[in-house]
Amino acid sequence: MREELIEIKGLEPRGDGVAYLEDGRSVYVPRSAVGDKLRVKVHENKQGILRGSILEEIERGADRVEPPCPYFKSCGGCQLQHISEQGYRTWKLGLVQEALRIRRVVPEEILDPIFVPAHSRRRTSWAVKMHSNGHVDIGYNQQRTHSITPINDCTILCPELNDMLTSIIPYLKRLLRNGRNASIFAQRSDTQTEILITGDLASKRGEMDLKIMEAIADLGQDLDIARISWRAKDTHTARVMLERESFTKQYGRLTAPLPPGTFMQPTAMGEQALVKAVMSAVETYITKKKPRFADLFAGSGCFSGHLVARGSVDAFEFSEDAIQTLSKAVGGLAIQAHERNLFERPLSVKELSSYEAVIFDPPRAGAKEQAAELADSKVPLVVAISCNPRSFARDAALLTEGGYRLRTLQCVDQFVYSSHVEVIGVFTR
């Protein structure tokens, strides 16, 4: 370790500032802004990457501002509250532009970006520590550590989840085992809240004794929580402890009963923007009265439930829980749910030939194999959605090299103060 005087020259894709030493090596400094002149302590990790910890701010860059959250300096939940609004937005859009430039992908039209405001996130995971003296810490882990920053108000969370931060503590004292760590996943659907507790409950030999069940019942009733689930550490199976009402999400014509911890778009506004983009593309480019759609990586039906208003939908997903959710929700709707790992077995050119439009919203790794099949197909309309500009650009390059035109591109920033950004591309033959 050594101390260095540095100047931040740019921000890398994860949001850390970048400076250069006299020997030409790069130093990455979290929570820094372009133009900052800093005295830092430089550490080299096992991979030979240099990271800097700020010891002193000598001069602030033009984009540096005071963060709106008092916990920002210690909490690891947000990366970019210290950047001005204009600087933040320019950097986020620059991530997408640079990813496209590297892959030589050029949209015909770039639509106005959508920036979701603070206090809008409807799903989160809190770190919890139950101390041996009965005190409970609840908040987020500090950056690159397991130490918890306790908080009672989070700048990015929706009001319903924010209110829970302090009101849930008395119940955690009854539920959790002293001296142990736990985590709580909490999310809101349209009008309901669920929580999933991961950790050791204060019961002997893992049995759910009467005191635990009473605490769970009181928690659900007092805080109006629709469902409370629990799972032991190092397991993936969640056990529903209390279900006061079915936890559901409305996707257009589809009412989906969600399993514990099911993925949803992180904000309601972001979900609406993505759905609007998909349906606008369908209305613009599909003239057939009853088209057939393929919804790839369909999840619990976020897009299928809206697409079915225009035609029939084949929804493909590799998650067994998601397929079961879709199958239960379909009812009389023209949606067929198919369990399929599209990474290992993408829809072939022949299979794709029966669809007027394909929508795909894969995980961060993207859909390279599926994009390659689409590039050789004759599907009239493809709408690609991604929370990773790099994998989006890679898949978009495959499509454009195969003859598709990237008609429109839009950014939706629903990951407030983070390094993630959503991208929506509309491709036609």
Side-chain angles (χ1 to χ4, degrees), residues 96-398:
V96 179
Q97 293 164 356
E98 179 63 10
L100 295 176
R101 184 194 65 78
I102 291 172
R103 295 287 182 170
R104 299 179 181 177
V105 175
V106 181
E108 294 181 4
E109 181 182 5
I110 298 179
L111 303 180
D112 290 339
I114 295 173
F115 290 92
V116 174
H119 289 300
S120 60
R121 190 173 177 89
R122 62 185 179 187
R123 59 199 322 265
T124 191
S125 290
W126 293 312
V128 180
K129 173 71 174 181
M130 179 68 178
H131 294 274
S132 56
N133 63 3
H135 178 76
V136 174
D137 288 335
I138 181 170
Y140 298 103
N141 287 328
Q142 297 173 17
Q143 196 171 41
R144 297 188 178 95
T145 77
H146 294 292
S147 299
I148 297 173
T149 296
I151 62 175
N152 54 32
D153 181 68
C154 176
T155 303
I156 66 172
L157 286 186
C158 67
E160 293 85 357
L161 295 186
N162 241 335
D163 291 344
M164 193 183 295
L165 270 167
T166 52
S167 57
I168 199 174
I169 289 177
Y171 304 94
L172 296 180
K173 291 181 178 181
R174 297 166 59 186
L175 285 171
L176 300 181
R177 185 172 295 180
N178 285 347
R180 301 295 181 90
N181 291 337
S183 65
I184 297 178
F185 172 79
Q187 73 174 350
R188 291 276 297 174
S189 61
D190 301 309
T191 59
Q192 301 168 299
T193 302
E194 74 156 340
I195 64 171
L196 170 59
I197 303 170
T198 300
D200 296 327
L201 298 184
S203 54
K204 297 179 180 179
R205 295 184 296 277
E207 298 173 358
M208 299 302 153
D209 57 30
L210 180 59
K211 289 184 179 180
I212 292 293
M213 298 310 296
E214 286 177 344
I216 288 172
D218 290 345
L219 171 59
Q221 178 67 38
D222 296 347
L223 301 191
D224 192 24
I225 300 173
R227 180 173 64 202
I228 301 173
S229 306
W230 167 80
R231 67 182 172 204
K233 287 185 177 180
D234 303 320
T235 65
H236 298 287
T237 303
R239 174 179 173 181
V240 176
M241 306 296 294
L242 176 72
E243 192 160 25
R244 299 172 60 233
E245 54 190 81
S246 178
F247 188 76
T248 62
K249 180 73 178 69
Q250 194 70 36
Y251 295 123
R253 296 185 177 182
L254 190 72
T255 303
L258 303 182
T262 298
F263 173 80
M264 294 189 301
Q265 295 296 337
T267 69
M269 183 177 173
E271 178 188 311
Q272 291 164 7
L274 298 179
V275 169
K276 182 179 179 181
V278 168
M279 297 310 296
S280 176
V282 167
E283 294 302 327
T284 301
Y285 295 106
I286 302 299
T287 57
K288 188 175 179 178
K289 285 188 177 181
K290 293 185 178 180
R292 190 178 178 199
F293 303 109
D295 184 5
L296 311 184
F297 308 95
S300 299
C302 177
F303 301 115
S304 293
H306 295 273
L307 290 167
V308 75
R310 283 280 281 110
S312 62
V313 184
D314 285 326
F316 295 87
E317 174 58 60
F318 63 88
S319 165
E320 184 179 350
D321 283 347
I323 289 298
Q324 290 178 357
T325 294
L326 271 169
S327 299
K328 291 176 183 177
V330 164
L333 299 175
I335 300 175
Q336 289 289 324
H338 307 271
E339 185 176 350
R340 183 160 171 170
N341 188 330
L342 295 169
F343 296 111
E344 297 178 356
R345 200 160 62 91
L347 293 189
S348 66
V349 171
K350 183 178 179 180
E351 290 173 300
L352 290 166
S353 64
S354 61
Y355 298 109
E356 278 70 47
V358 170
I359 288 82
F360 68 93
D361 183 10
R364 286 187 59 79
K368 182 179 179 181
E369 296 80 6
Q370 188 60 75
E373 292 291 333
L374 280 164
D376 291 334
S377 77
K378 300 300 180 184
V379 177
L381 172 67
V382 175
V383 182
I385 302 154
S386 175
C387 62
N388 183 349
R390 291 179 175 181
S391 61
F392 173 88
R394 180 202 64 206
D395 296 346
L398 289 171

Side-chain angles (χ1 to χ4, degrees), residues 38-101:
L38 308 167
R39 185 167 63 89
V40 300
K41 183 180 288 185
V42 178
H43 316 257
E44 183 170 353
N45 66 17
K46 294 179 180 179
Q47 291 74 39
I49 297 173
L50 301 181
R51 298 196 179 278
S53 302
I54 298 175
L55 298 174
E56 180 185 1
E57 292 180 4
I58 298 170
E59 184 179 324
R60 289 190 162 197
D63 280 339
R64 178 176 280 278
V65 297
E66 286 300 316
C69 175
Y71 306 103
F72 176 69
K73 289 185 178 180
S74 61
C75 176
C78 295
Q79 292 88 49
L80 292 156
Q81 290 191 17
H82 63 295
I83 304 296
S84 69
E85 182 177 358
Q86 185 58 49
Y88 170 81
R89 294 186 173 193
T90 299
W91 175 75
K92 280 249 171 145
L93 297 178
L95 292 178
V96 179
Q97 293 164 356
E98 179 63 10
L100 295 176
R101 184 194 65 78

